[in-house]
């Protein structure tokens, strides 16, 4: 038996819709999310955009800058445009067909920035965005007048004697006594020496970067008195 030729994203989903009898089950919408998409998004806002009066065939989750966030809602009936045989891509082929046949594609803002997981630095950026979003959900973000949300310190991290403020410390990271880490993400394998002050930074084993373009510091000399 010959292996079936690769069908592409849209082709694979179309085949799954048929095999799962989704039409008979009256499933109207399918939620798609890319493997590199950030979890720091407001999916409830995306799902609330669905209603009986919804005029769109595809609803893209986008950022405040109109960048695709890697997730979308798409009507099951749209996949009827996919041929039974051959490769058929979702973005390059199906979406253009939807527009050409009079379908409508809309967007719903679900994130401040469109972040994708591609390397350690981008993963740390996503963790920081997730932590910031959790803080805003709890009403403990900047300017809220409430106590900041506690940091996320993984069980395998060592932070005894250090001051951790609104940060994420991953398993295997070490923050030595007397060090201060604020609004930062510290990856596994990173050691913050005693007396160091870290603010608004992403620190991984492959180096560090600022969380914000205009601020972020790593002061290995410790706080000045």
């Amino acid at each position: 038996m010959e292996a079936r030729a690769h069908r592409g994203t849209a082709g694979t989903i179309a085949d799954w819709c048929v095999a799962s009898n989704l039409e008979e089950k009256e499933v109207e919408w399918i939620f798609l999310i890319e493997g590199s998409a950030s979890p720091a998004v407001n999916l409830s806002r995306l799902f609330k955009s669905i209603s009986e009066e919804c005029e769109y065939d595809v609803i893209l989750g986008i950022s405040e800058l109109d960048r695709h966030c890697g997730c979308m809602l798409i009507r099951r009936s749209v996949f009827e445009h996919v041929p039974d045989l051959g490769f058929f891509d979702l973005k390059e082929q199906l979406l253009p067909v939807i527009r050409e046949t009079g379908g409508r594609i809309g967007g719903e803002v679900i994130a401040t920035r469109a972040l994708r997981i591609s390397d350690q630095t981008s993963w740390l950026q996503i963790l920081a965005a997730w932590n910031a979003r959790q803080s805003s959900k709890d009403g403990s973000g900047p300017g809220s007048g409430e106590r900041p949300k506690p940091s996320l310190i993984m069980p395998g991290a060592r932070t005894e004697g250090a001051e951790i403020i609104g940060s994420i410390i991953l398993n295997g990271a070490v923050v030595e006594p007397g060090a201060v880490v604020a609004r930062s993400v510290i990856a596994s394998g990173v050691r913050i020496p005693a007396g160091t002050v870290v603010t608004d930074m992403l620190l991984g084993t492959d180096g560090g970067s600022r969380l914000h373009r205009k601020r972020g510091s790593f002061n290995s000399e410790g706080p000045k008195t």
Side-chain angles (χ1 to χ4, degrees):
M1 180 180 295
E2 295 183 2
R4 184 167 184 173
H6 183 48
R7 287 278 280 149
T9 305
T12 300
I13 296 173
D15 293 346
W16 172 75
C17 289
V18 173
S20 302
N21 296 318
L22 295 190
E23 183 175 5
E24 294 182 7
K25 296 177 182 178
E26 298 183 348
V27 173
E28 184 176 2
W29 291 91
I30 296 174
F31 173 61
L32 304 179
I33 184 166
E34 298 178 23
S36 63
S38 166
V41 295
N42 189 343
L43 291 181
S44 62
R45 182 179 296 173
L46 181 63
F47 294 134
K48 287 179 181 178
S49 64
I50 301 176
S51 66
E52 293 183 0
E53 297 79 23
C54 181
E55 59 185 5
Y56 296 113
D57 296 291
V58 179
I59 305 174
L60 303 174
I62 60 175
S63 71
E64 293 179 357
L65 298 176
D66 292 335
R67 299 289 299 275
H68 185 216
C69 292
C71 52
M72 70 178 74
L73 286 164
I74 185 166
R75 291 187 189 272
R76 177 201 51 77
S77 57
V78 164
F79 290 95
E80 295 174 3
H81 292 293
V82 178
D84 294 334
L85 298 174
F87 180 92
F88 209 79
D89 186 66
L90 181 71
K91 294 180 181 178
E92 301 297 328
Q93 293 176 278
L94 182 57
L95 293 185
V97 167
I98 294 172
R99 288 192 292 264
E100 292 168 3
T101 55
R104 302 196 63 181
I105 300 174
E108 184 70 30
V109 175
I110 61 173
T112 302
R113 297 175 57 197
L115 300 172
R116 296 300 186 93
I117 303 171
S118 59
D119 53 22
Q120 186 185 61
T121 298
S122 62
W123 171 239
L124 295 179
Q125 289 175 331
I126 287 170
L127 285 178
W130 176 84
N131 202 40
R133 181 171 182 272
Q134 293 300 108
S135 296
S136 64
K137 285 172 62 178
D138 293 346
S140 56
S144 65
E146 298 185 16
R147 185 177 180 179
K149 180 179 175 63
S151 298
L152 175 62
I153 302 175
M154 302 301 290
R158 292 172 51 193
T159 62
E160 297 83 359
E163 185 175 2
I164 311 298
I165 306 169
S167 298
I168 299 176
I169 314 297
L170 299 182
N171 286 324
V174 177
V175 185
E176 295 183 350
V180 178
V181 177
R183 302 183 305 276
S184 298
V185 181
I186 310 301
S188 301
V190 174
R191 178 181 293 272
I192 307 299
T196 300
V197 177
V198 178
T199 58
D200 296 306
M201 292 289 291
L202 300 171
L203 293 180
T205 53
D206 57 353
S209 63
R210 297 180 180 182
L211 264 177
H212 306 280
R213 184 175 300 176
K214 295 183 179 180
R215 68 176 189 266
S217 64
F218 184 101
N219 180 4
S220 60
E221 297 179 356
K224 296 180 180 180
T225 58

